[in-house]
Amino acid sequence: MDLSPTSVLLCPPLDISHSSAGGVIFDSSSLRQQTTIPKAFIWPSSDRPAATEELDAPVVDLGGFFHGDEESTMRAAKLVANACERHGFFQVVNHGVSELLARDALDFTDEFFRLPLCDKLRARRKPGGVWGYSGAHADRFSSKLPWKETLSFGYREAAGSERVVIDYFVSVLGEEFERMGLAYQMYCEAMTGLSLAIMELLAISLGADRMTYREFFDDSRSIMRCNYYPPCQEPEMTLGTGPHCDPTALTILQQDHVGGLEVFSGRAWRYVRPVHNALVVNIGDTFMALSNGRYKSCLHRAVVNRHRERRSLAFFVCPREDKVIRPPPPPSSSEDVGGGPRLYPDFTWAQFMDFTQRHYRADMRTLRSFAKWLESSSSATAT
Ligand SMILES: C=C1C[C@]23C[C@@]1(O)CC[C@H]2[C@]1(C)CCC[C@@](C)(C(=O)O)[C@H]1[C@@H]3C(=O)O
Ligand SMILES: O=C(O)CCC(=O)C(=O)O
Ligand SMILES: [Fe+2]
């Protein structure tokens, strides 16, 4: 794919301290010239120690599974079960996503985030919205700001959605961004296919009917997020993304070779070494609820460094908004997949997503806090 830079978009000088909407704007290129970072980016010292140990997590070869080889499928399912019961994290290779497509998606991330700030702001996230450009979430939060810029957009595989991503880029940034939109449209299609295959492998690993989750997510909605982490002059004082569990069901993440992703496991933060051509897969809160707590929602974060920018592409798989999140009964017994009493109430993704966007900043306790919030809201309406 021709990656010649898009036409240079000129824009007027910008007052970067405050936007017209009153929110604060994060301009990493000017902030990086300063010797210290603004106070709003400093995280509590308890959140900051850098990992010294590597995470023990499998790199699962999906080749045999894709070829219908039962023995390697069971081998893969066993690795996945063990990892998901421990920390909810594994990596996959021979995943079927083209290396060229993956590289183009990363390269276009560079092209977008290297645009002048005023051009990125043409795609800025609208208040209350999910899609769009954000600088450190400075328009949403006033402390513990993450040292990153993000671009998020939605995807769903349905009739009439063949151009949903392309049309987003063209409508927000202009015709000259059609190639970027096409690359991400194709990337999201590939990620969706892989996510459904992983849902099948998860069901097998849980002893459920292998089509259970594949069917549940057949009309999934996804959120694609491009993360760009600029170099930071005080990397030990801040975080690229704070400690959290993804509220979504499953995340497929492509990271570049720089490193910075950490997972909390065995009472310590552990770094994840980038594996060439591998994709990171982590369980989110919604899948933890679907497995009735048997699989753990992965607690993770991203640290930054002094000299190198880092990029990651996170593909968040979510159920259709109105589907009720409830563990499916496995074929062999009347108990739910996770066995024992229900750990979480029924809820819909629409309710949970709304909670993270309007009521609560997602962190390591989002699902628990959401369950309490649901309970208090329902008891309030019952009285
Ligand atoms: C449902 C979501 C909220 C966040 C994006 C996501 O699609 C999945 C991950 C969530 C997030 C990355 C968790 C850490 C805090 C957060 C505010 C962020 O750093 O971006 C979260 C995302 C959000 O925009 O709320
Ligand atoms: O950039 C990374 O490695 C992690 C990003 C992440 O966890 C997220 O966007 O939810
Ligand atoms: Fe995450």
Side-chain angles (χ1 to χ4, degrees), residues 298-315:
C298 177
L299 174 51
H300 57 289
R301 70 183 186 183
V303 298
V304 290
N305 70 80
R306 196 176 297 279
H307 301 296
R308 290 194 294 178
E309 62 192 19
R310 177 174 177 261
R311 304 150 302 161
S312 69
L313 302 180
F315 186 79

PDB file of all heavy atoms in Angstrom, residues 298-315:
ATOM      1  N   CYS A 298      -7.940  -9.107  32.695  1.00  0.00           N
ATOM      2  CA  CYS A 298      -6.500  -8.844  32.852  1.00  0.00           C
ATOM      3  C   CYS A 298      -6.233  -7.441  33.381  1.00  0.00           C
ATOM      4  O   CYS A 298      -6.655  -6.454  32.776  1.00  0.00           O
ATOM      5  CB  CYS A 298      -5.819  -9.025  31.488  1.00  0.00           C
ATOM      6  SG  CYS A 298      -4.070  -8.654  31.516  1.00  0.00           S
ATOM      7  N   LEU A 299      -5.544  -7.352  34.502  1.00  0.00           N
ATOM      8  CA  LEU A 299      -5.149  -6.046  35.051  1.00  0.00           C
ATOM      9  C   LEU A 299      -3.827  -5.638  34.384  1.00  0.00           C
ATOM     10  O   LEU A 299      -2.825  -6.356  34.501  1.00  0.00           O
ATOM     11  CB  LEU A 299      -4.992  -6.138  36.570  1.00  0.00           C
ATOM     12  CG  LEU A 299      -4.456  -4.913  37.296  1.00  0.00           C
ATOM     13  CD1 LEU A 299      -5.195  -3.628  36.937  1.00  0.00           C
ATOM     14  CD2 LEU A 299      -4.493  -5.145  38.822  1.00  0.00           C
ATOM     15  N   HIS A 300      -3.850  -4.537  33.672  1.00  0.00           N
ATOM     16  CA  HIS A 300      -2.651  -4.139  32.917  1.00  0.00           C
ATOM     17  C   HIS A 300      -2.507  -2.616  32.872  1.00  0.00           C
ATOM     18  O   HIS A 300      -3.407  -1.882  33.308  1.00  0.00           O
ATOM     19  CB  HIS A 300      -2.702  -4.720  31.495  1.00  0.00           C
ATOM     20  CG  HIS A 300      -3.915  -4.326  30.716  1.00  0.00           C
ATOM     21  ND1 HIS A 300      -5.192  -4.811  30.985  1.00  0.00           N
ATOM     22  CD2 HIS A 300      -4.065  -3.470  29.686  1.00  0.00           C
ATOM     23  CE1 HIS A 300      -6.047  -4.292  30.128  1.00  0.00           C
ATOM     24  NE2 HIS A 300      -5.394  -3.477  29.332  1.00  0.00           N
ATOM     25  N   ARG A 301      -1.387  -2.152  32.382  1.00  0.00           N
ATOM     26  CA  ARG A 301      -1.099  -0.711  32.248  1.00  0.00           C
ATOM     27  C   ARG A 301      -0.005  -0.548  31.201  1.00  0.00           C
ATOM     28  O   ARG A 301       0.568  -1.530  30.723  1.00  0.00           O
ATOM     29  CB  ARG A 301      -0.646  -0.131  33.593  1.00  0.00           C
ATOM     30  CG  ARG A 301       0.727  -0.611  34.024  1.00  0.00           C
ATOM     31  CD  ARG A 301       1.168  -0.101  35.385  1.00  0.00           C
ATOM     32  NE  ARG A 301       2.565  -0.490  35.666  1.00  0.00           N
ATOM     33  CZ  ARG A 301       3.182  -0.221  36.795  1.00  0.00           C
ATOM     34  NH1 ARG A 301       2.563   0.436  37.771  1.00  0.00           N
ATOM     35  NH2 ARG A 301       4.439  -0.597  36.993  1.00  0.00           N
ATOM     36  N   ALA A 302       0.302   0.685  30.844  1.00  0.00           N
ATOM     37  CA  ALA A 302       1.400   0.947  29.895  1.00  0.00           C
ATOM     38  C   ALA A 302       2.309   2.017  30.489  1.00  0.00           C
ATOM     39  O   ALA A 302       1.833   3.070  30.951  1.00  0.00           O
ATOM     40  CB  ALA A 302       0.844   1.429  28.551  1.00  0.00           C
ATOM     41  N   VAL A 303       3.627   1.718  30.534  1.00  0.00           N
ATOM     42  CA  VAL A 303       4.588   2.724  30.995  1.00  0.00           C
ATOM     43  C   VAL A 303       5.225   3.369  29.755  1.00  0.00           C
ATOM     44  O   VAL A 303       5.168   2.810  28.654  1.00  0.00           O
ATOM     45  CB  VAL A 303       5.674   2.094  31.897  1.00  0.00           C
ATOM     46  CG1 VAL A 303       5.043   1.492  33.147  1.00  0.00           C
ATOM     47  CG2 VAL A 303       6.492   1.046  31.152  1.00  0.00           C
ATOM     48  N   VAL A 304       5.799   4.550  29.964  1.00  0.00           N
ATOM     49  CA  VAL A 304       6.445   5.272  28.853  1.00  0.00           C
ATOM     50  C   VAL A 304       7.949   5.345  29.119  1.00  0.00           C
ATOM     51  O   VAL A 304       8.427   4.889  30.161  1.00  0.00           O
ATOM     52  CB  VAL A 304       5.837   6.685  28.665  1.00  0.00           C
ATOM     53  CG1 VAL A 304       4.419   6.569  28.123  1.00  0.00           C
ATOM     54  CG2 VAL A 304       5.852   7.488  29.960  1.00  0.00           C
ATOM     55  N   ASN A 305       8.670   5.900  28.130  1.00  0.00           N
ATOM     56  CA  ASN A 305      10.131   5.966  28.317  1.00  0.00           C
ATOM     57  C   ASN A 305      10.649   7.305  27.830  1.00  0.00           C
ATOM     58  O   ASN A 305       9.919   8.071  27.185  1.00  0.00           O
ATOM     59  CB  ASN A 305      10.788   4.798  27.565  1.00  0.00           C
ATOM     60  CG  ASN A 305      10.689   4.992  26.070  1.00  0.00           C
ATOM     61  OD1 ASN A 305      11.481   5.737  25.482  1.00  0.00           O
ATOM     62  ND2 ASN A 305       9.687   4.390  25.431  1.00  0.00           N
ATOM     63  N   ARG A 306      11.914   7.564  28.107  1.00  0.00           N
ATOM     64  CA  ARG A 306      12.482   8.910  27.848  1.00  0.00           C
ATOM     65  C   ARG A 306      12.780   9.146  26.377  1.00  0.00           C
ATOM     66  O   ARG A 306      12.710  10.277  25.909  1.00  0.00           O
ATOM     67  CB  ARG A 306      13.787   9.028  28.662  1.00  0.00           C
ATOM     68  CG  ARG A 306      14.344  10.408  28.850  1.00  0.00           C
ATOM     69  CD  ARG A 306      15.558  10.353  29.743  1.00  0.00           C
ATOM     70  NE  ARG A 306      15.236   9.883  31.078  1.00  0.00           N
ATOM     71  CZ  ARG A 306      14.706  10.670  32.032  1.00  0.00           C
ATOM     72  NH1 ARG A 306      14.453  11.935  31.747  1.00  0.00           N
ATOM     73  NH2 ARG A 306      14.407  10.194  33.215  1.00  0.00           N
ATOM     74  N   HIS A 307      13.096   8.092  25.616  1.00  0.00           N
ATOM     75  CA  HIS A 307      13.683   8.364  24.298  1.00  0.00           C
ATOM     76  C   HIS A 307      12.833   7.940  23.102  1.00  0.00           C
ATOM     77  O   HIS A 307      12.990   8.467  22.015  1.00  0.00           O
ATOM     78  CB  HIS A 307      15.058   7.686  24.211  1.00  0.00           C
ATOM     79  CG  HIS A 307      15.995   8.172  25.273  1.00  0.00           C
ATOM     80  ND1 HIS A 307      16.427   9.494  25.349  1.00  0.00           N
ATOM     81  CD2 HIS A 307      16.530   7.551  26.363  1.00  0.00           C
ATOM     82  CE1 HIS A 307      17.209   9.634  26.399  1.00  0.00           C
ATOM     83  NE2 HIS A 307      17.286   8.481  27.044  1.00  0.00           N
ATOM     84  N   ARG A 308      11.948   6.956  23.302  1.00  0.00           N
ATOM     85  CA  ARG A 308      11.289   6.420  22.106  1.00  0.00           C
ATOM     86  C   ARG A 308       9.768   6.532  22.210  1.00  0.00           C
ATOM     87  O   ARG A 308       9.179   6.234  23.253  1.00  0.00           O
ATOM     88  CB  ARG A 308      11.677   4.947  21.918  1.00  0.00           C
ATOM     89  CG  ARG A 308      13.136   4.786  21.508  1.00  0.00           C
ATOM     90  CD  ARG A 308      13.424   3.394  21.006  1.00  0.00           C
ATOM     91  NE  ARG A 308      13.281   2.391  22.065  1.00  0.00           N
ATOM     92  CZ  ARG A 308      13.443   1.071  21.839  1.00  0.00           C
ATOM     93  NH1 ARG A 308      13.674   0.625  20.624  1.00  0.00           N
ATOM     94  NH2 ARG A 308      13.333   0.205  22.824  1.00  0.00           N
ATOM     95  N   GLU A 309       9.157   6.930  21.121  1.00  0.00           N
ATOM     96  CA  GLU A 309       7.699   6.915  21.069  1.00  0.00           C
ATOM     97  C   GLU A 309       7.253   5.461  20.953  1.00  0.00           C
ATOM     98  O   GLU A 309       8.008   4.592  20.475  1.00  0.00           O
ATOM     99  CB  GLU A 309       7.210   7.731  19.868  1.00  0.00           C
ATOM    100  CG  GLU A 309       7.665   7.188  18.531  1.00  0.00           C
ATOM    101  CD  GLU A 309       7.413   8.165  17.392  1.00  0.00           C
ATOM    102  OE1 GLU A 309       7.220   9.371  17.653  1.00  0.00           O
ATOM    103  OE2 GLU A 309       7.414   7.704  16.243  1.00  0.00           O
ATOM    104  N   ARG A 310       6.059   5.185  21.403  1.00  0.00           N
ATOM    105  CA  ARG A 310       5.523   3.819  21.320  1.00  0.00           C
ATOM    106  C   ARG A 310       4.115   3.874  20.748  1.00  0.00           C
ATOM    107  O   ARG A 310       3.380   4.834  20.999  1.00  0.00           O
ATOM    108  CB  ARG A 310       5.506   3.156  22.697  1.00  0.00           C
ATOM    109  CG  ARG A 310       4.906   1.770  22.707  1.00  0.00           C
ATOM    110  CD  ARG A 310       5.036   1.072  24.046  1.00  0.00           C
ATOM    111  NE  ARG A 310       4.362  -0.221  23.985  1.00  0.00           N
ATOM    112  CZ  ARG A 310       3.125  -0.443  24.462  1.00  0.00           C
ATOM    113  NH1 ARG A 310       2.459   0.566  25.029  1.00  0.00           N
ATOM    114  NH2 ARG A 310       2.557  -1.623  24.354  1.00  0.00           N
ATOM    115  N   ARG A 311       3.768   2.859  19.950  1.00  0.00           N
ATOM    116  CA  ARG A 311       2.413   2.807  19.388  1.00  0.00           C
ATOM    117  C   ARG A 311       1.797   1.456  19.701  1.00  0.00           C
ATOM    118  O   ARG A 311       2.486   0.434  19.723  1.00  0.00           O
ATOM    119  CB  ARG A 311       2.482   2.972  17.864  1.00  0.00           C
ATOM    120  CG  ARG A 311       3.180   4.240  17.404  1.00  0.00           C
ATOM    121  CD  ARG A 311       3.853   4.043  16.075  1.00  0.00           C
ATOM    122  NE  ARG A 311       4.823   2.951  16.117  1.00  0.00           N
ATOM    123  CZ  ARG A 311       5.263   2.337  15.017  1.00  0.00           C
ATOM    124  NH1 ARG A 311       4.817   2.692  13.838  1.00  0.00           N
ATOM    125  NH2 ARG A 311       6.146   1.361  15.102  1.00  0.00           N
ATOM    126  N   SER A 312       0.492   1.464  19.923  1.00  0.00           N
ATOM    127  CA  SER A 312      -0.224   0.192  20.045  1.00  0.00           C
ATOM    128  C   SER A 312      -1.622   0.372  19.451  1.00  0.00           C
ATOM    129  O   SER A 312      -2.174   1.479  19.467  1.00  0.00           O
ATOM    130  CB  SER A 312      -0.326  -0.254  21.513  1.00  0.00           C
ATOM    131  OG  SER A 312      -1.197   0.598  22.230  1.00  0.00           O
ATOM    132  N   LEU A 313      -2.131  -0.705  18.869  1.00  0.00           N
ATOM    133  CA  LEU A 313      -3.479  -0.681  18.296  1.00  0.00           C
ATOM    134  C   LEU A 313      -4.319  -1.675  19.082  1.00  0.00           C
ATOM    135  O   LEU A 313      -4.040  -2.877  19.061  1.00  0.00           O
ATOM    136  CB  LEU A 313      -3.424  -1.113  16.812  1.00  0.00           C
ATOM    137  CG  LEU A 313      -2.536  -0.289  15.899  1.00  0.00           C
ATOM    138  CD1 LEU A 313      -2.594  -0.849  14.476  1.00  0.00           C
ATOM    139  CD2 LEU A 313      -2.961   1.165  15.900  1.00  0.00           C
ATOM    140  N   ALA A 314      -5.310  -1.171  19.794  1.00  0.00           N
ATOM    141  CA  ALA A 314      -6.161  -2.038  20.620  1.00  0.00           C
ATOM    142  C   ALA A 314      -7.507  -2.215  19.919  1.00  0.00           C
ATOM    143  O   ALA A 314      -8.165  -1.235  19.556  1.00  0.00           O
ATOM    144  CB  ALA A 314      -6.356  -1.426  22.003  1.00  0.00           C
ATOM    145  N   PHE A 315      -7.878  -3.467  19.702  1.00  0.00           N
ATOM    146  CA  PHE A 315      -9.190  -3.777  19.090  1.00  0.00           C
ATOM    147  C   PHE A 315     -10.049  -4.363  20.189  1.00  0.00           C
ATOM    148  O   PHE A 315      -9.801  -5.459  20.677  1.00  0.00           O
ATOM    149  CB  PHE A 315      -8.996  -4.759  17.928  1.00  0.00           C
ATOM    150  CG  PHE A 315     -10.255  -5.025  17.141  1.00  0.00           C
ATOM    151  CD1 PHE A 315     -10.702  -4.110  16.188  1.00  0.00           C
ATOM    152  CD2 PHE A 315     -11.010  -6.174  17.356  1.00  0.00           C
ATOM    153  CE1 PHE A 315     -11.857  -4.352  15.455  1.00  0.00           C
ATOM    154  CE2 PHE A 315     -12.163  -6.423  16.641  1.00  0.00           C
ATOM    155  CZ  PHE A 315     -12.596  -5.505  15.682  1.00  0.00           C
TER     156      PHE A 315
END
